[in-house]
Amino acid sequence: MKREALFLRMHEAMAAALGPSGWWPAETPFEMAVGAILAQNTNWANASRAVANLKGSGAFSARGLCGLETARLEELLRPAGHFRVKAARLRNLLDFVVRELGGDIEALGNWDMTAAREALLAVRGVGPETADSILLYGLGFPSFVVDAYTARICARHGLVPEEAGYDELRELFMDALPADAALFNELHAQFVRVGNGWCRPRGPRCGACPLGEFLP
């Protein structure tokens, strides 16, 4: 089976079992980008508490958060864990938004996708997953997001070797599928949900998994 047909069938199987994902849960592209930084190395529940703190600070804008003292910013980010590291990474992103985008991250949506991705990756603390999340979920670019769930599912289904890196996995989907942001959005979210519910690192529940029929 061709890769495009396989991925679309997997997408349909997950949609039938799970329903719509409604991801990313943010009200604005700026909130989404902030959340992408805070979700690094933690679950969304913890990150969302830190986002709520920022929104309640009265300074929830790129320029406003840049104006907060470091100690205050760190305290607001404490629920997300690694709050000192994340405060530094968030400030780096905020500085980029203010300096290069006039304080409005949505202006990045007017850039060429490749140039926008390179600019985000040049921000210290923004890795490929975070950059692609901002591009896809925040700005509507067709840039597929890869995470540990995607990697585990693809390896267990024999689509890539276990040691496959981020770029190899991203290209697997980018090359096989049409450049459709809505499709990429939902497919990635479905992989996260399946990875959480069935395709676990230990004790995977393959028999009940929505993707069980696709196992080699």
Side-chain angles (χ1 to χ4, degrees):
M1 183 185 302
K2 291 184 177 180
R3 287 287 167 78
E4 179 179 1
L6 173 61
F7 291 148
L8 292 177
R9 280 189 56 199
M10 293 171 79
H11 170 54
E12 291 168 0
M14 289 186 287
L18 303 173
S21 299
W23 191 253
W24 191 292
E27 295 179 356
T28 65
F30 177 69
E31 181 181 338
M32 186 274 134
V34 170
I37 293 287
L38 302 187
Q40 294 174 353
N41 302 310
T42 192
N43 59 49
W44 177 244
N46 291 336
S48 65
R49 285 194 285 272
V51 171
N53 283 350
L54 293 176
K55 292 176 73 175
S57 70
F60 195 62
S61 68
R63 296 186 190 279
L65 294 180
C66 274
L68 293 180
E69 294 184 358
T70 297
R72 174 60 175 156
L73 182 61
E74 290 177 351
E75 185 60 30
L76 292 170
L77 300 188
R78 188 179 288 272
H82 307 286
F83 57 91
R84 291 190 177 89
V85 171
K86 291 183 180 180
R89 291 177 178 177
L90 178 58
R91 198 175 290 281
N92 291 339
L93 178 63
L94 296 171
D95 287 344
F96 164 73
V97 172
V98 171
R99 184 180 68 253
E100 301 293 339
L101 304 173
D104 182 8
I105 197 166
E106 293 185 58
L108 194 61
N110 298 321
W111 292 31
D112 169 79
M113 185 176 80
T114 300
R117 189 172 192 266
E118 290 175 352
L120 286 171
L121 290 173
V123 176
R124 187 171 184 180
V126 175
E129 182 181 343
T130 301
D132 289 325
S133 294
I134 293 171
L135 292 172
L136 177 63
Y137 291 112
L139 302 172
F141 281 113
S143 187
F144 196 83
V145 180
V146 172
D147 57 18
Y149 301 111
T150 312
R152 186 161 64 243
I153 290 169
C154 287
R156 283 180 172 167
H157 284 79
L159 297 171
V160 292
E162 288 188 10
E163 65 273 15
Y166 188 98
D167 290 339
E168 182 179 350
L169 280 157
R170 180 175 181 266
E171 289 171 10
L172 177 72
F173 291 92
M174 298 283 287
D175 291 345
L177 293 170
D180 184 336
L183 172 62
F184 287 2
N185 181 317
E186 187 63 15
L187 184 57
H188 172 251
Q190 289 170 336
F191 282 144
V192 172
R193 296 169 73 189
V194 167
N196 264 319
W198 292 274
C199 196
R200 299 167 179 170
R202 298 179 182 83
R205 301 166 57 205
C206 299
C209 179
L211 295 178
E213 65 180 285
F214 301 97
L215 285 169

